[in-house]
Amino acid sequence: MSVLTTEPAAAKPTAEEPPDTGARHKLTAVTGLAALSLDAMASVAYGPEAIVLVLAAAGAHGLGFTLPVTFAIAALLAVLVASYRQVIAAFPDGGGSYAVAKAHLGRRTSLVAAASLVLDYVLNVAVAVTAGVAALTSAFPELFGHRLWICLVVLVLITAVNLRGIVDSAKAFIAPTVIFIASILVLIVVGLFRDAPVSVEAAAGHASVLSENATTVGALLLLKAFASGCSALTGVEAIANAVPSFRSPAARRAQRAEVALGAVLGVMLIGLAVLISRFGLQPVEGVTVLAQLADASLGHGIGFYVVQFATMVLLALSANTSFGGLPVLLKLLARDNYLPHVFGLKADRQVHRHGVLALAAVSAALLLFSGGDTNTLVPLFAIGVFVGFTIAQTGMVLHWLQERGPRWVGKTVLNGLGALLTGVSAIVVTATKFHDGAWLIVVALPLLVAAFEAVHRAYARIGVRLGIGRIPEPPHRDRSLVIVPVSSLTRLTSEALTAAVSLGDEVRAVTVAHPDPEDRVQTEALARDWALWNPGVELVRLPSERRSVGRPVAAYVRKLAETEPGTRVTVLIPEAEPARLWQRILQNQRGAVVAHAVRRDTDAVICRLRFRLSATD
């Protein structure tokens, strides 16, 4: 039995088995929260700490501004959530800031937004995995020397879960998300009933990081604390980027998930800030602020370790936000011809498999570059997301000015304020982290935009060559000549010639003849057997001084194109396909060599015929 490499026809759905609409592979509001909010949720582990560490430069007096700064961040969170609800409604195909900028700010700005999101998503994976593993190695110091391998194993596990579909990843991460949120809320509620810390064992013996030469609490310090604490807002945009991943009505479900994310995150941030002020907490070396709060509120017992373990798990799993949002963004870029079209393909479970694998590969490279060290990656983090925030808010201002729908003035003011705040934060974060490695992001952004442009120009040239958008000439029939490379007389040869005479007006078999005595004897034997067999097809010898198979065939095809214009030449390459996968290593790959040479050097049609060998052959 032989088969040509054509795509099988799709089976028609029967009445008993209705077609799969893909809805079961999409998210509800609850599963969307678990799949796309882990980055934002996990940020409460380092957002309040980022504020406290900056304010510590002003001593104990500076720490008194923790709550006001947190309130400012919570207000910005409310602005962002309200804005991204509007983005979801206005751009239900997803894409977030990229879609907004494309519609209202121009192509180049949209590419800057896309590049910033791509960089932030990739860095989020690396930072999340290394931070989670860092929490693990803090609890088990003997694992510290193996942290890179642990990071890679965690990355492989998260990638494997996401290759099964975003719904499966959401279901797998619902329990850790619920446990984390519940433990933080319990910590806050119990702490509000404490007049003083129930335990300070976690911080005992650790040096305080309060500045001995305390500075005054000026506007610049508060601005820097605000910008650092805004790292807790990373991930807020992920739901708006992945609206198509939700079940119908997708926009409404995504909006509900966005509001739920904002409410839970806001409550946790403000609650933790209240406890920091209530307990007069001071940052110390080697112990996180969240760990001190758990110790002070719940005591140094099982509650403390539940919070630590839940935080560790969620930090590692927060990389899933990128796996949910980035592949959808890559699909939109591919649809607009800024990335290879392969990123737009979906697997059976509504998975953008190539986007998931590309994200995993780049993240693995970053882990190898950093050696699994969080501190190497953190200075690069959160810059891209603020650029995206600012572009999205600015675009929405223009959107309301053009649309002028209900309450458009208030919405314009809201988005304008958000653009101002996030723009200032982007500038401050970039400036404060520039010498620590943020300059890499400043360099990478234009390079990534240039890469998008290069891909777009390449597709434009291909489109012109293919005449995309124009009515083509009507098809016409050319004389058809089929060339069949052969090296011996077998059943495979017979199958190939049978297929060839069915395809073309004329068929020629060709064999490459080398001058070596052994090869010459083999060629003469083939010629005698061919004459005795007499298949009605001419056997053409192609002499070659070099030990090559593909080049002589390609040269013969080129010669035919010159001497017989108007003839459509097809090269039919017969290949045996073993019944077992491991047996493919036994093949000489001659067919692949010929196909490569003909494809590279000629315009001939290449047809590879598979002769399948059964297990009993």
Side-chain angles (χ1 to χ4, degrees):
M1 178 185 65
S2 64
V3 292
L4 296 175
T5 54
T6 56
E7 293 294 329
K12 294 182 179 180
T14 63
E16 293 78 12
E17 186 181 348
D20 184 6
T21 61
R24 64 191 181 92
H25 297 304
K26 293 194 173 186
L27 300 169
T28 64
V30 174
T31 55
L33 197 64
L36 300 170
S37 70
L38 298 187
D39 178 18
M41 295 294 182
S43 65
V44 301
Y46 50 79
E49 183 158 10
I51 299 172
V52 169
L53 289 175
V54 172
L55 294 177
H61 179 60
L63 293 179
F65 288 86
T66 300
L67 191 56
V69 170
T70 304
F71 273 122
I73 293 172
L76 177 56
L77 172 63
V79 171
L80 287 173
V81 169
S83 174
Y84 275 107
R85 283 189 77 253
Q86 298 163 5
V87 171
I88 291 168
F91 299 92
D93 289 336
S97 58
Y98 169 69
V100 176
K102 180 185 172 186
H104 299 293
L105 297 175
R107 182 177 59 84
R108 185 60 60 85
T109 305
S110 71
L111 294 182
V112 173
S116 64
L117 286 174
V118 169
L119 291 173
D120 191 71
Y121 274 137
V122 172
L123 284 167
N124 173 60
V125 173
V127 170
V129 171
T130 55
V133 173
L136 175 65
T137 56
S138 296
F140 303 98
E142 61 272 13
L143 297 177
F144 183 78
H146 305 287
R147 66 187 186 280
L148 175 58
W149 290 108
I150 298 174
C151 286
L152 293 174
V153 169
V154 172
L155 178 61
V156 168
L157 291 176
I158 296 174
T159 303
V161 171
N162 278 276
L163 286 175
R164 291 187 54 82
I166 192 169
V167 170
D168 280 3
S169 70
K171 291 178 179 177
F173 300 151
I174 283 178
T177 305
V178 170
I179 293 173
F180 176 79
I181 294 174
S183 64
I184 297 299
L185 294 180
V186 169
L187 183 158
I188 292 170
V189 171
V190 173
L192 291 176
F193 288 94
R194 303 283 190 192
D195 295 326
V198 68
S199 171
V200 292
E201 184 177 344
H206 294 267
S208 173
V209 298
L210 281 181
S211 175
E212 296 180 359
N213 301 315
T215 62
T216 57
V217 182
L220 184 60
L221 183 68
L222 292 176
L223 194 60
K224 185 176 179 181
F226 173 80
S228 297
C230 280
S231 60
L233 304 181
T234 58
V236 172
E237 80 293 344
I239 293 175
N241 290 339
V243 179
S245 297
F246 285 82
R247 292 181 187 175
S248 181
R252 188 177 303 171
R253 291 181 187 274
Q255 286 179 322
R256 291 173 183 170
E258 187 74 48
V259 171
L261 167 61
V264 174
L265 180 58
V267 168
M268 290 194 295
L269 287 175
I270 293 174
L272 293 177
V274 169
L275 293 186
I276 290 172
S277 300
R278 186 181 185 87
F279 294 145
L281 186 145
Q282 297 183 5
V284 298
E285 293 181 354
V287 180
T288 65
V289 168
L290 186 59
Q292 292 187 65
L293 288 175
D295 195 31
S297 179
L298 304 175
H300 205 76
I302 187 171
F304 171 83
Y305 288 104
V306 167
V307 172
Q308 292 301 100
F309 183 75
T311 303
M312 175 192 71
V313 172
L314 205 72
L315 277 170
L317 297 184
S318 63
N320 196 68
T321 298
S322 296
F323 282 98
L326 182 59
V328 176
L329 176 61
L330 297 183
K331 179 203 74 172
L332 296 177
L333 288 168
R335 184 194 64 187
D336 296 336
N337 295 332
Y338 291 111
L339 279 179
H341 290 169
V342 70
F343 287 109
L345 300 179
K346 279 187 177 181
D348 294 338
R349 293 172 173 265
Q350 302 293 310
V351 180
H352 295 96
R353 182 173 296 164
H354 293 88
V356 170
L357 292 175
L359 174 58
V362 177
S363 302
L366 278 176
L367 291 174
L368 292 171
F369 164 76
S370 66
D373 181 27
T374 308
N375 294 328
T376 304
L377 298 168
V378 166
L380 312 178
F381 189 46
I383 295 174
V385 74
F386 282 115
V387 173
F389 282 162
T390 305
I391 291 175
Q393 300 282 330
T394 305
M396 289 305 293
V397 169
L398 297 179
H399 175 78
W400 298 126
L401 290 175
Q402 294 174 10
E403 295 291 328
R404 293 178 178 268
R407 299 188 299 278
W408 69 272
V409 175
K411 294 175 180 177
T412 303
V413 172
L414 181 70
N415 292 135
L417 177 62
L420 176 63
L421 294 176
T422 55
V424 170
S425 297
I427 294 171
V428 173
V429 170
T430 303
T432 55
K433 296 182 177 182
F434 189 83
H435 293 291
D436 296 327
W439 61 270
L440 286 171
I441 302 301
V442 176
V443 171
L445 269 175
L447 290 178
L448 197 51
V449 171
F452 292 155
E453 295 276 22
V455 172
H456 193 266
R457 287 193 298 270
Y459 274 124
R461 289 192 294 268
I462 293 171
V464 171
R465 186 75 176 85
L466 295 177
I468 295 176
R470 300 194 302 270
I471 298 176
E473 297 179 357
H476 60 278
R477 180 177 176 83
D478 289 334
R479 174 176 175 269
S480 178
L481 172 60
V482 182
I483 305 299
V484 182
V486 298
S487 58
S488 59
L489 195 57
T490 64
R491 184 180 170 190
L492 178 61
T493 309
S494 175
E495 290 285 345
L497 294 183
T498 299
V501 297
S502 303
L503 294 173
D505 300 318
E506 180 184 352
V507 177
R508 297 179 193 174
V510 298
T511 185
V512 179
H514 298 116
D516 296 351
E518 182 181 348
D519 292 317
R520 190 162 53 245
V521 170
Q522 184 177 350
T523 303
E524 293 296 338
L526 175 61
R528 288 194 304 270
D529 292 342
W530 195 274
L532 292 172
W533 184 38
N534 191 20
V537 174
E538 177 187 1
L539 178 64
V540 179
R541 300 188 194 186
L542 304 179
S544 175
E545 297 294 329
R546 304 176 62 180
R547 299 294 300 179
S548 175
V549 175
R551 290 182 181 178
V553 177
Y556 181 68
V557 173
R558 284 200 309 271
K559 183 179 179 181
L560 288 175
E562 296 171 359
T563 58
E564 301 184 35
T567 299
R568 179 74 64 176
V569 179
T570 299
V571 180
L572 189 148
I573 303 170
E575 297 174 289
E577 185 174 285
R580 307 193 185 282
L581 184 63
W582 69 268
Q583 293 174 338
R584 295 184 182 183
I585 63 175
L586 306 178
Q587 295 176 292
N588 56 23
Q589 304 300 324
R590 184 171 297 183
V593 172
V594 173
H596 174 73
V598 174
R599 182 183 296 109
R600 181 189 59 199
D601 299 335
T602 76
D603 293 328
V605 177
I606 299 173
C607 180
R608 301 179 72 170
L609 181 140
R610 309 283 188 181
F611 181 75
R612 292 181 178 173
L613 303 174
S614 66
T616 58
D617 285 345

